[in-house]
Amino acid sequence: PFAIRYPRGRGELVDWRCPLEEVQIGKGRKLKEGKDLIRYFCVPAKMKDGTIFRHLPADAPEFTLSGEGTAAAPWLISDAADFVAMSDLIASDAAYADDYYQMTSDVDFTDVAMTSIGKTNHFSGFFDGQDHVVRNLTLTDTTVDTGLFSYVDGGTIKNLGIVDSTITGSRNVGAFAGTVMNAVIMNCYTNATVSAQRAVGGIVCALNSSQMYNCYSAAVLSVTEKAVGGLVGSLSSSMNTANPVA
């Protein structure tokens, strides 16, 4: 529930928590038709001549990605800052979790910190690395499910390498994902150093009811207890190695 108030005549203006911004139609945050419009323009104050004035929460992440998040026009990932934006956006709004994302170049994470993608809202979208490489990624986490992606549920990750990187977590740790459920991982590889207190895998730690196709791992693995595997730390249901449709 929300309220829109338009101060008129005499009286005090609303004391906004952050300044109003003028945003041209089609610019700035992702727009969707119908009810979803309210999600992205939290408290509209005025609309005129194709211009929207809107107020955003003070803690709203900055939107920097190019694209529309569709199969025809995916969000484009060109550097480490774009990965951070992707992680922050999915954490702030589950509507971004099932979008399409595509890399446009190799990405170096030297001196850039980020949180695993899908830690809060599980990733269920489509990520295409376009045969590019992520390098010098350092992830350290004390919670469950650590990797470039934390938890992938129904999504697809393909055509990506993670090299010269260090991934460290508590439980369920893999270079690409901690846990994968009903998803597809294809054409991926890593030589990362992957460490966990409990349960570790080179590509994915826990692979559940999912497909892994044409992947390989030269990862250096370290675990204190429980499961460990070069490709997968633990496997539930079947791993269908037939060429998936993705």
Side-chain angles (χ1 to χ4, degrees), residues 42-61:
C42 303
V43 185
K46 185 186 295 183
M47 299 182 66
K48 65 176 184 179
D49 301 329
T51 301
I52 295 178
F53 294 85
R54 54 94 163 109
H55 171 261
L56 290 175
D59 60 351

Side-chain angles (χ1 to χ4, degrees), residues 74 97-102 123-128 155-158 246:
D98 63 353
D99 281 356
Y100 286 72
Y101 297 84
Q102 180 176 289
F123 183 74
S124 56
F126 189 95
F127 187 91
D128 187 354
T156 294
I157 301 171
K158 69 175 188 177

Side-chain angles (χ1 to χ4, degrees), residues 4-239:
I4 302 175
R5 294 191 294 173
Y6 298 87
R8 297 174 180 272
R10 295 186 299 274
E12 296 182 1
L13 293 175
V14 175
D15 183 16
W16 299 103
R17 286 168 50 195
C18 60
L20 291 174
E21 300 176 40
E22 180 177 321
V23 179
Q24 298 299 320
I25 292 293
K27 301 292 184 181
R29 289 195 170 228
K30 176 183 175 184
L31 284 174
K32 292 185 178 181
E33 294 180 355
K35 62 182 181 180
D36 287 336
L37 181 66
I38 296 171
R39 178 182 297 140
Y40 297 97
F41 291 86
C42 303
V43 185
K46 185 186 295 183
M47 299 182 66
K48 65 176 184 179
D49 301 329
T51 301
I52 295 178
F53 294 85
R54 54 94 163 109
H55 171 261
L56 290 175
D59 60 351
E62 289 296 321
F63 191 88
T64 59
L65 299 181
S66 298
E68 299 177 3
T70 64
W75 301 120
L76 300 180
I77 308 295
S78 61
D79 56 24
D82 287 344
F83 266 109
V84 173
M86 176 184 175
S87 179
D88 289 347
L89 287 165
I90 292 173
S92 68
D93 192 334
Y96 290 101
D98 63 353
D99 281 356
Y100 286 72
Y101 297 84
Q102 180 176 289
M103 289 179 68
T104 61
S105 62
D106 291 354
V107 172
D108 191 328
F109 270 90
T110 300
D111 298 326
V112 177
M114 69 169 282
T115 301
S116 295
I117 299 165
K119 178 70 73 172
T120 304
N121 298 312
H122 297 163
F123 183 74
S124 56
F126 189 95
F127 187 91
D128 187 354
Q130 294 255 98
D131 297 324
H132 291 298
V133 172
V134 167
R135 58 171 44 90
N136 297 319
L137 171 66
T138 300
L139 281 173
T140 302
D141 195 348
T142 59
T143 63
V144 66
D145 294 324
T146 302
L148 178 61
F149 292 81
S150 173
Y151 197 114
V152 181
D153 189 355
T156 294
I157 301 171
K158 69 175 188 177
N159 305 330
L160 178 62
I162 299 176
V163 301
D164 304 330
S165 298
T166 302
I167 318 293
T168 305
S170 175
R171 179 163 58 94
N172 287 7
V173 184
F176 284 83
T179 296
V180 171
M181 176 74 71
N182 300 316
V184 174
I185 310 293
M186 62 183 295
N187 302 334
C188 292
Y189 64 92
T190 186
N191 70 353
T193 298
V194 186
S195 304
Q197 290 294 314
R198 180 173 180 174
V200 68
I203 299 289
V204 172
C205 180
L207 189 76
N208 304 315
S209 303
S210 299
Q211 295 180 350
M212 181 177 288
Y213 175 77
N214 196 31
C215 296
Y216 70 88
S217 171
V220 177
L221 305 178
S222 175
V223 66
T224 303
E225 59 177 305
K226 294 294 182 179
V228 59
L231 282 176
V232 176
S234 63
L235 181 66
S236 177
S237 297
S238 61
M239 182 170 69

